[in-house]
Each structure stands twice: as structure tokens, then as C-alpha cells.
């Protein structure tokens, strides 16, 4: 969690939105008892990890695999999104977002309307916002022209009010282009319009720190979001039209981001 703790040791309070990286994953090595599966060792042998420094999220679109790469949180190893040819070669195409992404985490695709480009939405865990990058079409050839390093728009910022975030980590897009965001230190799920305007905020039971999420359709046809609960070791299903609970806000505490 970030700085400005709320008394429970994870820095999840709204007073200070510092760098909230809280990895808990141990790095293993192939063949030395590091707990890494044979399939991952085979993938490393094919070069899929080439040039990546702490990769976090991945998304496939039109033959291109986009990987959020945390880097070393330094000018020498900045955060970015790496584009990889998803064909047999798995060749690296390039990267973008350098200098604008502090700690890129989850990725989601916002489908294009008839008059525009699709956007790659990146949850910037370290800067407490979403950054959108317009994706030029690839024609399915796996050699797309890359977006510019500068995002086409930025959604949110640090805070507790609707539309602001505290360590966003997961992002997903629903069937109606609604954007859903899970917050690690904010411990909630937000729903935004495709333009980035807040629609609703939901807090799963237990007020745990949250990780990745997926959006889709529940068995009864309602919109649902499934979100991973980091602390309770479980998965929550939020049927948003029926069981989502509107969160409470303290409008006087917007937080102070260290970026």
C-alpha cells in the first residue's frame, strides 16, 4: 500500500497517496527450485521475457500482445507498455508510455466507435490514475504502428471522491463501454463512463485490498464484475444492478500524491 496509513498497516488511508507498489510475489528461476513451472521455463527459452523488467498485465489485440512493464521505477528503467508480435516469432515491436507511466498495472481495451480508434486503458498504480493510449489499427498483421509515448488522455488522480483513485490496479471494460477500476489501497471498485465520468462506487464486504478484475454478464443477465480480494484470498462477484453498495466519501480528504 501507499503512504499515510489508516492504522491497519497497509497505508490505505486517504491522507497520502504515495508510491503504492506492494508486490508480494517472489521471483523464481527455471530449474533451481524457484517454484516456476516448466511452461514458464519454456516460455523464457522462447524469449518472451526479453527486455521486460517486472511485467504486470497483458492484453491481446489485433495480433499484438501489450504488456505493462513496471521497470525499475527509475529514469534508467522507466515504466512503459511493451508491444510484442503475438505470432510464432514473439518478436518485440517496441514500447510506449515511457516518461508518462509511473507504475503500470492492469490493462483493458476500450473498443472504438465508428469514428475513432480503440484505446488501451492502463491503470497507473503509482500515479493513481488511468492513462489512455489511442491504438492505430494493425490490420491483424501483428506489426501495428505504436501509439505515442504521451497518452491521449488521463482519467482521475489521487483522492477518495468519485472519479479519483488510490492505487488503481485492475481495469476492465463492460459490454456498454463502461470502465471498471479496482483500487488496491482504496479498497473499492469504481464504474466510469467511456469518457471517464464517475457513475458508481462499490465496496466489497470486508474492505480488503483489491487486485485484478473482470467485467461481464451474470447468470441473470445483469452486469457483473468479478474482483480478486488480496487479503481475504477470495473472489467477489458484484451484481452491480442489485447488490452493489454505494461507498461513503469524506469530501474533505482528497489526499496528497507523491509522483
Amino acid at each position: 500500500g501507499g503512504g499515510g496509513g489508516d492504522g491497519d498497516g497497509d497505508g490505505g488511508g486517504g491522507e497520502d497517496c504515495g508510491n503504492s507498489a506492494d508486490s508480494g510475489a517472489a521471483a523464481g528461476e527455471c530449474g533451481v527450485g524457484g517454484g516456476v513451472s516448466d511452461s514458464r521455463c519454456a516460455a523464457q527459452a522462447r524469449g518472451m521475457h526479453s527486455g521486460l523488467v517486472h511485467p504486470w498485465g497483458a492484453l491481446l489485440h489485433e495480433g499484438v500482445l501489450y504488456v505493462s512493464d513496471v521497470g525499475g521505477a527509475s529514469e534508467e528503467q522507466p515504466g512503459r507498455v511493451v508491444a510484442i508480435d503475438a505470432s510464432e516469432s514473439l518478436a518485440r515491436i517496441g514500447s510506449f508510455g515511457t516518461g508518462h507511466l509511473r507504475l503500470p498495472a492492469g490493462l483493458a481495451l476500450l473498443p472504438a466507435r465508428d469514428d475513432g480508434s480503440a484505446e488501451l486503458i492502463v491503470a497507473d498504480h503509482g500515479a493513481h490514475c488511468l492513462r489512455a493510449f489511442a491504438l492505430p489499427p494493425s490490420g491483424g498483421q501483428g506489426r501495428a504502428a505504436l501509439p505515442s509515448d504521451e497518452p491521449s488522455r488521463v482519467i482521475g488522480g489521487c483522492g477518495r471522491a468519485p472519479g479519483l483513485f488510490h492505487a488503481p490496479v485492475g481495469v476492465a471494460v463492460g459490454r456498454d463501454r463502461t470502465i471498471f477500476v479496482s483500487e488496491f489501497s482504496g479498497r473499492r471498485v469504481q464504474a466510469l463512463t467511456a469518457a471517464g465520468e464517475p457513475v458508481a462506487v462499490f465496496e466489497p464486504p470486508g474492505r480488503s485490498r483489491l487486485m485484478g478484475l473482470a467485467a461481464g454478464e451474470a447468470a441473470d443477465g445483469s452486469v457483473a464484475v468479478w474482483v480478486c480480494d488480496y487479503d481475504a484470498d477470495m473472489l467477489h462477484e458484484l451484481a452491480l444492478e442489485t447488490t452493489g453498495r454505494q461507498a461513503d466519501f469524506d469530501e474533505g480528504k482528497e489526499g496528497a500524491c507523491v509522483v
Side-chain angles (χ1 to χ4, degrees):
D6 58 0
D8 59 1
D10 75 316
E15 296 297 332
D16 179 13
C17 295
N19 190 340
S20 302
D22 189 354
S23 163
E29 297 183 18
C30 293
V32 294
V36 182
S37 67
D38 291 340
S39 62
R40 177 174 168 186
C41 293
Q44 288 183 337
R46 292 180 63 194
M48 288 183 68
H49 71 308
S50 178
L52 298 176
V53 182
H54 304 307
W56 190 316
L59 182 142
L60 180 67
H61 176 60
E62 294 189 346
V64 179
L65 183 64
Y66 296 95
V67 181
S68 57
D69 197 39
V70 172
S74 66
E75 292 185 3
E76 292 76 19
Q77 293 181 324
R80 60 191 174 169
V81 175
V82 176
I84 296 172
D85 186 336
S87 68
E88 185 71 21
S89 68
L90 295 174
R92 173 174 167 155
I93 300 171
S95 63
F96 56 92
T98 303
H100 296 276
L101 291 166
R102 177 165 179 176
L103 204 165
L107 305 175
L109 180 73
L110 183 64
R113 292 189 181 278
D114 295 337
D115 57 350
S117 300
E119 287 183 307
L120 182 70
I121 308 296
V122 183
D124 195 331
H125 182 79
H128 314 284
C129 64
L130 305 180
R131 302 192 192 273
F133 296 86
L135 295 177
S138 70
Q141 300 303 310
R143 281 287 172 183
L146 295 176
S148 65
D149 278 332
E150 185 172 354
S152 55
R153 59 188 174 124
V154 178
I155 301 171
C158 179
R160 282 290 298 169
L164 300 178
F165 310 106
H166 194 175
V169 62
V171 59
V173 174
R175 61 190 178 193
D176 59 353
R177 302 179 81 240
T178 298
I179 301 171
F180 298 98
V181 184
S182 56
E183 300 175 61
F184 184 78
S185 297
R187 306 171 185 233
R188 59 187 183 175
V189 173
Q190 293 203 52
L192 314 171
T193 67
E197 298 296 324
V199 174
V201 184
F202 302 91
E203 293 180 345
R207 293 284 290 134
S208 298
R209 294 172 295 179
L210 304 178
M211 292 295 286
L213 79 168
E217 188 173 292
D220 61 1
S222 63
V223 176
V225 169
W226 295 267
V227 59
C228 298
D229 189 319
Y230 181 85
D231 293 316
D233 301 323
M234 64 184 298
L235 186 71
H236 296 286
E237 180 185 78
L238 305 178
L240 302 187
E241 296 178 354
T242 57
T243 63
R245 182 173 69 83
Q246 188 73 23
D248 296 325
F249 299 99
D250 184 344
E251 297 292 349
K253 295 184 178 181
E254 291 300 314
C257 293
V258 179
V259 178

